[in-house]
Amino acid sequence: PVMKDMMHVNSQENDLGEKIPPLNIVAVTADVTELNLQQCQEAGFDEMISKPVDISEVKRVLKKYLE
């Protein structure tokens, strides 16, 4: 891949240069620090869920974006 991690979130085109619709993107990370949260927000992530994953938190986030 040409891009990975947080850089990929900012891409509005696929590998063929075609426009893609906006997506809600949730970071799942064990590195839950203020700095990492800020970096995720700047990169375009909508939410961050910490590891170990709490299923009630996953349900909350999914409900927020699927309703």
Side-chain angles (χ1 to χ4, degrees):
V2 177
M3 295 183 294
K4 65 179 187 173
D5 302 329
M6 289 187 202
M7 290 173 35
H8 190 68
V9 175
N10 290 323
S11 176
Q12 296 178 2
E13 298 179 348
N14 64 17
D15 292 339
L16 301 175
E18 302 165 330
K19 296 287 184 187
I20 57 172
L23 300 170
N24 295 108
I25 302 176
V26 179
V28 180
T29 180
D31 184 18
V32 182
T33 62
E34 286 297 319
L35 177 60
N36 196 32
L37 177 59
Q38 180 181 353
Q39 289 172 335
C40 284
Q41 290 171 339
E42 290 171 359
F45 286 87
D46 297 295
E47 296 273 345
M48 182 192 294
I49 296 175
S50 64
K51 293 180 186 177
V53 175
D54 177 352
I55 194 66
S56 62
E57 182 68 3
V58 173
K59 287 178 183 180
R60 180 195 67 78
V61 171
L62 288 176
K63 185 176 180 180
K64 177 178 177 178
Y65 292 104
L66 294 176
E67 288 187 337

